[in-house]
Amino acid sequence: MSSISSSLIKPEIQQLSPYQVPDKVYPIKLDAMENPYSLDVSFLEQWSQVLKTASLNRYPDPSAQTLKQQIRTTFAIPNTQELLLGNGSDELIQMLIVALNQPKTTLIAVEPSFVMYRLIAQWMGMSYQGIPLQMPTFSLDMPALIKTLETHQPTLLFLAYPNNPTGNLFSDQDIATLLEINSGLIVIDEAYGPFTDHSYLSQLPNYSNLLIMRTLSKLGLAGLRLGFLAGSALWLEQINKVRLPYNINILTQITANFALQHYTTFQDQAQKIRQHRTALCQQLTQMGIKVWPSQANFLMFSLPNAVSIYQELKKQGILIKCLHGSHPLLENCLRVTIGTPEENGVFVRTLQTLLS
Ligand SMILES: *Cc1c(COP(=O)(O)O)cnc(C)c1O
């Protein structure tokens, strides 16, 4: 690094390694919780018709009113609650941190969980506390969480529900306790909402310190980059002030609006993924593999020689996620996204061969 850049770039940024994305194309890609299904021809035809109406020479609707109204309808957002849209929910995490990062504020997340909470806090120089989950089921460590919430005030707490990478839902009683302590803002990240029957969206009117974050990425629209925050205007009007103007481009606005008008298409795909999750879980269990129950579109499992199995799968064109080394509780853990039945079949058969 030149001496100019090494003196100008913040030391906390120089210490980071870039966010890892796969280096090449894999025939079977089961690492990133993408929906494996394509959309049928009539959907694509109708979609291209509405896309043609986009005025590319104009800036998009800055507040995306039409899309917001469609999101309200599709997800039954309570009328009393506001919405804020982000270029993926990653951007919403960043907006929250920009708006709430004060010298005395601490961001709290459980670990292992979604790494972007900690990463963006690091970029922004925000104080961060990670509270380990409790084995054997990756449940919330309530005494540790309550103590941390009480000693570090004010706080911004992120909970992924279901959690990534462990796939479980936390206890509703524990979450109620955290909401009732009411010492800060709690963001429940429901990125995997399409794959579970549980959601806190309807609870929003009951808690003034709760925001719900959702994304269309895992539903089947990862290429669009659209996430939303739902909750009280008291929070969202403030956080909206740090939103970059026109953050939701016109193609995303039109496409997301169209896709949500055809929400049942995506719900049907999610339903299939849930069925194949059950099947894959049974197959892995029958092979004697430890699999954690999952309410998301992936399974976490562990094997004695996880890293070499991961490498071997990769050599054979199957990319999953190696979690080993990312957190002490994830020793020998791997994560596989639920693919099509064919992809799941190739994965299982290859794994079987490697293990025998
Ligand atoms: C994938 C994921 C996200 C990121 O969603 P984008 O909208 O694609 O940025 C957020 N939270 C969790 C828990 C995730 O697993």
Side-chain angles (χ1 to χ4, degrees):
M1 210 177 193
S2 82
S3 63
I4 303 179
S5 60
S6 69
S7 63
L8 276 176
I9 303 279
K10 295 195 280 186
E12 36 312 13
I13 303 296
Q14 290 189 43
Q15 278 157 23
L16 295 175
S17 22
Y19 188 78
Q20 293 290 333
V21 282
D23 45 346
K24 60 173 198 136
V25 176
Y26 291 85
I28 299 194
K29 187 175 181 300
L30 301 174
D31 66 320
M33 280 77 91
E34 291 149 326
N35 174 331
Y37 299 107
S38 49
L39 294 157
D40 66 40
V41 176
S42 85
F43 181 101
L44 297 176
E45 298 243 300
Q46 289 179 63
W47 170 51
S48 60
Q49 290 305 316
V50 293
L51 264 191
K52 282 184 197 160
T53 67
S55 303
L56 289 177
N57 56 320
R58 303 288 177 194
Y59 283 106
D61 173 359
S63 53
Q65 284 309 328
T66 307
L67 173 55
K68 274 189 184 166
Q69 198 47 52
Q70 184 60 48
I71 290 175
R72 283 191 175 281
T73 311
T74 304
F75 295 96
I77 308 294
N79 278 331
T80 51
Q81 306 299 305
E82 260 312 309
L83 286 175
L84 180 64
L85 307 188
N87 187 353
S89 44
D90 288 347
E91 193 192 35
L92 293 166
I93 300 169
Q94 187 174 38
M95 283 190 240
L96 281 159
I97 293 178
V98 169
L100 275 75
N101 181 14
Q102 301 186 68
K104 53 188 184 350
T105 312
T106 302
L107 188 146
I108 299 170
V110 296
E111 289 187 349
S113 187
F114 188 48
V115 292
M116 293 312 287
Y117 312 139
R118 174 176 51 78
L119 274 183
I120 301 177
Q122 277 175 346
W123 302 345
M124 310 297 296
M126 183 172 190
S127 148
Y128 172 84
Q129 283 281 321
I131 309 299
L133 291 169
Q134 272 187 317
M135 297 305 277
T137 58
F138 295 103
S139 55
L140 296 176
D141 181 346
M142 289 303 284
L145 265 173
I146 292 169
K147 185 153 171 266
T148 310
L149 288 171
E150 282 169 354
T151 46
H152 298 268
Q153 286 193 22
T155 55
L156 166 61
L157 170 65
F158 279 98
L159 287 178
Y161 178 92
N163 190 40
N164 172 12
T166 55
N168 58 311
L169 293 166
F170 300 122
S171 133
D172 290 325
Q173 202 179 343
D174 287 350
I175 294 178
T177 304
L178 295 173
L179 284 164
E180 273 145 28
I181 293 173
N182 198 8
S183 68
L185 177 60
I186 300 186
V187 179
I188 297 187
D189 179 351
E190 296 189 339
Y192 299 96
F195 311 102
T196 176
D197 295 329
H198 297 263
S199 169
Y200 274 83
L201 276 173
S202 66
Q203 298 273 337
L204 277 171
N206 303 336
Y207 298 104
S208 59
N209 59 331
L210 171 65
L211 297 177
I212 308 290
M213 191 163 66
R214 285 259 182 152
T215 174
L216 302 191
S217 296
K218 313 295 156 60
L219 181 68
L221 298 162
L224 274 191
R225 308 304 296 131
L226 186 78
F228 67 86
L229 265 180
S232 157
L234 290 174
W235 291 106
L236 297 188
E237 277 171 4
Q238 298 301 322
I239 297 157
N240 186 43
K241 295 176 186 171
V242 301
R243 183 173 61 86
L244 288 171
Y246 312 114
N247 64 328
I248 311 300
N249 74 71
I250 191 164
L251 301 179
T252 296
Q253 290 193 29
I254 291 179
T255 305
N257 188 53
F258 175 77
L260 292 180
Q261 287 167 355
H262 298 81
Y263 188 53
T264 51
T265 302
F266 295 93
Q267 277 180 309
D268 293 347
Q269 294 181 345
Q271 199 52 42
K272 277 202 271 184
I273 291 168
R274 286 164 73 156
Q275 284 163 7
H276 299 141
R277 171 180 75 199
T278 308
L280 185 59
C281 183
Q282 277 168 1
Q283 285 173 306
L284 294 177
T285 307
Q286 275 161 13
M287 288 161 65
I289 296 171
K290 162 100 182 112
V291 190
W292 275 269
S294 169
Q295 294 276 305
N297 62 342
F298 58 83
L299 291 169
M300 187 171 86
F301 59 101
S302 76
L303 290 168
N305 47 350
V307 179
S308 62
I309 294 288
Y310 164 77
Q311 300 288 6
E312 277 305 317
L313 286 167
K314 212 159 110 164
K315 270 189 214 155
Q316 305 202 26
I318 304 171
L319 184 66
I320 63 169
K321 177 83 175 175
C322 182
L323 300 167
H324 182 93
S326 65
H327 191 276
L329 293 179
L330 299 178
E331 207 186 325
N332 279 316
C333 286
L334 301 172
R335 185 190 69 196
V336 62
T337 304
I338 310 301
T340 61
E342 295 74 30
E343 290 172 323
N344 301 337
V346 174
F347 164 70
V348 166
R349 285 192 296 278
T350 312
L351 187 59
Q352 222 152 13
T353 314
L354 291 173
L355 291 177
S356 62

